[in-house]
Amino acid sequence: MDENERRERAGREAAEWWTEMQTGEMALERRVAFVGWLRDSPLHVSEMLQVVEVHDGLAHFKRWAQISTEGSEQDDALDRVIEFSPTLKTAPTPARQETKQGLRRGSFLAGMAASALIVLAVTVWYSLSGQIIETERGERREVALADGSVVQVDPETRMRVKMRDSSRRLVVLEHGRALFRVAKDAERPFLVDANGTVARAVGTSFAVETRMQDVIVTVAEGKVAVSVSPPPGTRNAEPELAAMLIADQQLTVGGAAASASVRKVDSQRELAWASGRLVFEDAPLPSVLEQFNRYNRVQMRVDDAELAQRRISGSFNASDPNSFLAFMQTVAHVQVTRDNARNLVIAPGP
Amino acid sequence: MRDSHANRRLIDWFNQWRSPLRKFLIRRNARSRADVDDISQEVFLRLLRYNQAELVQHPQAYLFKMAANVAAEWSIAARARRPHDSKWLAELHGGDLPEDAAARAKAEEEMERAINTLPPRQREVLKLQFYEGLAYAEIAERLGTTPRAVKRSVIKSYQKLRSELNPEYLRAMSYGRE
């Protein structure tokens, strides 16, 4: 991602924060997230100040009466299409729900031109097969879902979100990990399906991660029911309830579904990644570098067998490899150089 | 604008601290975005050092206050470095910049141009917010859509305006109208 893209995204996130502040007092959780975001990058601070400046400019603008809003109705339909990713592959699920969606939109459709109707039909098609959220290496995103839930998406993650069903809210986590802060809706449970392991919540905060063959569910708040589907081809197709998790519990479901085990964890620590922190306890240096590399464009590696044995403990800002390198230089005699690909190489000092 | 309590407080915080920030930015003739970036870099470092528990109480207030402090400190430092520059001296005595009607008119024009680059629907949402003083929920009701869709529209508008507008104009427009 180049500088302009980073700036553009920071600008969008800043505007998202600003609109959130406009709608009401932010809960502690959101304020913590906001501070975390500001502390992620000076760019975030800069874009935040600039969004506020734009707002200030609009608030002092005197010629609103002269601003025309002609053509606003036609414009609206177009606006709705952009929201969904055009890269969907799954076929739409037909009929019944589609009608329902159409009806709920009745008032919306009324004023629209015929061409706009066609556009809207396409939108519903997209929305039934789900919205794709995908992040690359070095990319972290916070996404507000249609139901008011918020997903903190880690790098290298892909999920499909289906929020339009009247009986449930479904996220299919294809790979990676994400933290879900679920908006309360007793009518529609919130389900996260990762390779057949389904975590189900009503209003709570929990994370789901796929790691190799395993699926790891960590609960920060509230209760989450986890069920596991039997392997495909098994006669008994009913999913089995694996565990009911409460706050500070973690369940790892192995590739062989039987090996599920609940353990007690410090969820704040386990989920530090969601606020951009990497926490290590006695972790080997290469695995620490691998973690940093997932969050950053600049890649680091260690070029010495003995150094690679070194174990690291500490809490670091995931998007700031430099502060980690500075830390390394204070605890070990190392030097950092750049290789041909401009990646950082850690080697013993001279 | 029919503000919610929270929103009013937010604006209060901002107003309280924007004056020093604005004065600093407006006095420098260099590229403004770079200035904001410089200040932001310093604010960022202060945020990292600041106590988390306190920050999360009123993060917005701390953000504006830190930005204003940095701007004020740097203004003083800049004056100290250039004591004989007549322009700086004049400002030292004169306090605020003089009202500049021409700059203000130019800023209004620039803002109008920028707003008119937005799609009509986004213009309408902004107009309802800033001209009619409606909250997001009220705008949603008026337009037969959801507050979420309204927010999304506002976010898009801000992004476009942000890249469309020259920061100098913005400052000229709202300067001295606290």
Side-chain angles (χ1 to χ4, degrees), chain A residues 61 63-72, chain B residues 112 115-125 127:
Chain A
F61 182 61
R63 299 189 197 165
W64 281 110
Q66 295 169 39
I67 297 292
S68 151
T69 56
E70 197 92 20
S72 160
Chain B
E112 189 170 352
I115 291 171
N116 280 325
T117 65
L118 299 173
R121 184 59 145 201
Q122 290 179 27
R123 284 206 297 267
E124 183 171 27
V125 168
K127 194 169 174 178

Short mmCIF file of all heavy atoms in Angstrom, two decimals, chain A residues 61 63-72, chain B residues 112 115-125 127:
data_model
loop_
_atom_site.label_atom_id
_atom_site.label_comp_id
_atom_site.label_asym_id
_atom_site.label_seq_id
_atom_site.Cartn_x
_atom_site.Cartn_y
_atom_site.Cartn_z
N PHE A 61 -19.83 27.71 6.69
CA PHE A 61 -20.20 28.04 5.32
C PHE A 61 -21.54 28.79 5.31
O PHE A 61 -22.47 28.41 6.01
CB PHE A 61 -20.29 26.75 4.50
CG PHE A 61 -20.61 26.96 3.05
CD1 PHE A 61 -19.77 27.69 2.23
CD2 PHE A 61 -21.76 26.40 2.49
CE1 PHE A 61 -20.06 27.87 0.90
CE2 PHE A 61 -22.06 26.58 1.16
CZ PHE A 61 -21.21 27.31 0.36
N ARG A 63 -23.34 29.90 2.38
CA ARG A 63 -24.16 29.92 1.15
C ARG A 63 -24.93 28.64 0.91
O ARG A 63 -25.11 28.22 -0.24
CB ARG A 63 -23.25 30.18 -0.05
CG ARG A 63 -22.53 31.50 0.01
CD ARG A 63 -21.85 31.77 -1.31
NE ARG A 63 -20.83 32.79 -1.20
CZ ARG A 63 -19.90 33.00 -2.14
NH1 ARG A 63 -19.88 32.25 -3.22
NH2 ARG A 63 -19.01 33.95 -1.97
N TRP A 64 -25.35 27.98 1.96
CA TRP A 64 -26.06 26.72 1.79
C TRP A 64 -27.30 26.89 0.92
O TRP A 64 -27.66 25.99 0.15
CB TRP A 64 -26.45 26.13 3.14
CG TRP A 64 -25.32 25.45 3.82
CD1 TRP A 64 -24.67 25.87 4.95
CD2 TRP A 64 -24.66 24.24 3.42
NE1 TRP A 64 -23.66 25.00 5.27
CE2 TRP A 64 -23.63 23.99 4.35
CE3 TRP A 64 -24.84 23.35 2.37
CZ2 TRP A 64 -22.79 22.88 4.26
CZ3 TRP A 64 -23.99 22.24 2.28
CH2 TRP A 64 -22.99 22.02 3.22
N ALA A 65 -27.95 28.02 1.05
CA ALA A 65 -29.19 28.25 0.30
C ALA A 65 -28.95 28.09 -1.20
O ALA A 65 -29.85 27.71 -1.94
CB ALA A 65 -29.73 29.63 0.62
N GLN A 66 -27.75 28.39 -1.62
CA GLN A 66 -27.45 28.32 -3.06
C GLN A 66 -27.03 26.93 -3.53
O GLN A 66 -26.84 26.70 -4.71
CB GLN A 66 -26.31 29.29 -3.39
CG GLN A 66 -26.69 30.74 -3.18
CD GLN A 66 -25.49 31.64 -3.26
OE1 GLN A 66 -24.61 31.43 -4.09
NE2 GLN A 66 -25.43 32.63 -2.39
N ILE A 67 -26.85 26.02 -2.58
CA ILE A 67 -26.40 24.67 -2.96
C ILE A 67 -27.60 23.86 -3.45
O ILE A 67 -28.56 23.66 -2.73
CB ILE A 67 -25.74 23.96 -1.76
CG1 ILE A 67 -24.48 24.70 -1.32
CG2 ILE A 67 -25.42 22.50 -2.10
CD1 ILE A 67 -23.33 24.67 -2.30
N SER A 68 -27.50 23.42 -4.70
CA SER A 68 -28.60 22.67 -5.30
C SER A 68 -28.49 21.20 -4.95
O SER A 68 -27.40 20.63 -4.89
CB SER A 68 -28.57 22.86 -6.82
OG SER A 68 -29.11 21.74 -7.45
N THR A 69 -29.65 20.57 -4.72
CA THR A 69 -29.64 19.13 -4.46
C THR A 69 -30.41 18.39 -5.55
O THR A 69 -30.88 17.28 -5.35
CB THR A 69 -30.26 18.81 -3.08
OG1 THR A 69 -31.57 19.37 -3.05
CG2 THR A 69 -29.44 19.42 -1.97
N GLU A 70 -30.52 19.04 -6.69
CA GLU A 70 -31.20 18.45 -7.84
C GLU A 70 -30.60 17.10 -8.19
O GLU A 70 -29.38 16.95 -8.21
CB GLU A 70 -31.02 19.40 -9.03
CG GLU A 70 -31.95 19.16 -10.18
CD GLU A 70 -33.21 20.03 -10.05
OE1 GLU A 70 -33.17 21.04 -9.31
OE2 GLU A 70 -34.20 19.69 -10.68
N GLY A 71 -31.46 16.11 -8.44
CA GLY A 71 -30.96 14.80 -8.88
C GLY A 71 -30.61 13.88 -7.73
O GLY A 71 -30.05 12.81 -7.94
N SER A 72 -30.95 14.29 -6.55
CA SER A 72 -30.58 13.52 -5.37
C SER A 72 -31.19 12.12 -5.33
O SER A 72 -30.58 11.17 -4.88
CB SER A 72 -30.96 14.32 -4.13
OG SER A 72 -31.06 13.50 -3.03
N GLU B 112 -17.90 26.51 -1.80
CA GLU B 112 -19.04 26.25 -2.67
C GLU B 112 -18.63 25.35 -3.84
O GLU B 112 -19.32 24.40 -4.19
CB GLU B 112 -19.61 27.57 -3.19
CG GLU B 112 -20.92 27.39 -3.92
CD GLU B 112 -21.61 28.72 -4.23
OE1 GLU B 112 -21.14 29.76 -3.72
OE2 GLU B 112 -22.59 28.71 -4.97
N ILE B 115 -18.12 21.79 -2.51
CA ILE B 115 -19.39 21.11 -2.20
C ILE B 115 -20.07 20.68 -3.49
O ILE B 115 -20.65 19.61 -3.57
CB ILE B 115 -20.31 22.03 -1.37
CG1 ILE B 115 -19.74 22.23 0.03
CG2 ILE B 115 -21.71 21.44 -1.27
CD1 ILE B 115 -20.44 23.29 0.86
N ASN B 116 -19.95 21.50 -4.52
CA ASN B 116 -20.60 21.17 -5.79
C ASN B 116 -19.91 20.05 -6.56
O ASN B 116 -20.44 19.57 -7.55
CB ASN B 116 -20.74 22.42 -6.66
CG ASN B 116 -21.92 23.26 -6.21
OD1 ASN B 116 -22.95 22.73 -5.79
ND2 ASN B 116 -21.77 24.57 -6.27
N THR B 117 -18.75 19.60 -6.08
CA THR B 117 -18.14 18.43 -6.72
C THR B 117 -18.75 17.14 -6.16
O THR B 117 -18.51 16.07 -6.67
CB THR B 117 -16.61 18.36 -6.49
OG1 THR B 117 -16.36 18.17 -5.09
CG2 THR B 117 -15.90 19.61 -6.97
N LEU B 118 -19.53 17.25 -5.10
CA LEU B 118 -20.13 16.05 -4.48
C LEU B 118 -21.35 15.61 -5.28
O LEU B 118 -22.03 16.44 -5.89
CB LEU B 118 -20.56 16.35 -3.04
CG LEU B 118 -19.48 16.77 -2.05
CD1 LEU B 118 -20.12 17.19 -0.74
CD2 LEU B 118 -18.49 15.64 -1.82
N PRO B 119 -21.67 14.30 -5.25
CA PRO B 119 -22.92 13.85 -5.85
C PRO B 119 -24.09 14.52 -5.13
O PRO B 119 -23.98 14.83 -3.94
CB PRO B 119 -22.93 12.34 -5.57
CG PRO B 119 -21.54 11.98 -5.19
CD PRO B 119 -20.90 13.21 -4.66
N PRO B 120 -25.21 14.73 -5.86
CA PRO B 120 -26.35 15.47 -5.30
C PRO B 120 -26.84 14.92 -3.95
O PRO B 120 -27.18 15.69 -3.06
CB PRO B 120 -27.44 15.31 -6.36
CG PRO B 120 -26.73 14.97 -7.61
CD PRO B 120 -25.44 14.33 -7.25
N ARG B 121 -26.87 13.61 -3.83
CA ARG B 121 -27.37 13.03 -2.58
C ARG B 121 -26.49 13.42 -1.39
O ARG B 121 -26.98 13.73 -0.32
CB ARG B 121 -27.43 11.51 -2.71
CG ARG B 121 -28.02 10.82 -1.51
CD ARG B 121 -29.45 11.28 -1.22
NE ARG B 121 -30.26 10.20 -0.70
CZ ARG B 121 -31.58 10.17 -0.73
NH1 ARG B 121 -32.23 11.17 -1.26
NH2 ARG B 121 -32.23 9.17 -0.23
N GLN B 122 -25.19 13.40 -1.59
CA GLN B 122 -24.28 13.79 -0.51
C GLN B 122 -24.44 15.27 -0.17
O GLN B 122 -24.40 15.67 0.99
CB GLN B 122 -22.83 13.47 -0.88
CG GLN B 122 -22.56 11.98 -0.92
CD GLN B 122 -21.12 11.66 -1.31
OE1 GLN B 122 -20.21 12.45 -1.09
NE2 GLN B 122 -20.91 10.50 -1.90
N ARG B 123 -24.65 16.07 -1.21
CA ARG B 123 -24.90 17.50 -0.98
C ARG B 123 -26.14 17.70 -0.14
O ARG B 123 -26.17 18.51 0.79
CB ARG B 123 -25.11 18.22 -2.33
CG ARG B 123 -23.87 18.45 -3.11
CD ARG B 123 -24.04 19.66 -4.04
NE ARG B 123 -25.08 19.49 -5.06
CZ ARG B 123 -24.85 19.03 -6.28
NH1 ARG B 123 -23.63 18.70 -6.65
NH2 ARG B 123 -25.82 18.92 -7.15
N GLU B 124 -27.17 16.92 -0.47
CA GLU B 124 -28.43 17.08 0.23
C GLU B 124 -28.27 16.73 1.72
O GLU B 124 -28.78 17.44 2.59
CB GLU B 124 -29.51 16.18 -0.41
CG GLU B 124 -30.87 16.37 0.25
CD GLU B 124 -31.99 15.66 -0.50
OE1 GLU B 124 -31.71 14.65 -1.17
OE2 GLU B 124 -33.13 16.11 -0.39
N VAL B 125 -27.56 15.64 1.97
CA VAL B 125 -27.34 15.23 3.36
C VAL B 125 -26.60 16.33 4.14
O VAL B 125 -26.99 16.70 5.24
CB VAL B 125 -26.56 13.89 3.42
CG1 VAL B 125 -26.07 13.61 4.84
CG2 VAL B 125 -27.43 12.74 2.92
N LYS B 127 -26.47 19.48 3.45
CA LYS B 127 -27.33 20.66 3.56
C LYS B 127 -28.33 20.49 4.71
O LYS B 127 -28.57 21.41 5.49
CB LYS B 127 -28.06 20.90 2.24
CG LYS B 127 -28.71 22.27 2.13
CD LYS B 127 -29.19 22.53 0.71
CE LYS B 127 -29.96 23.84 0.62
NZ LYS B 127 -30.39 24.12 -0.76
#
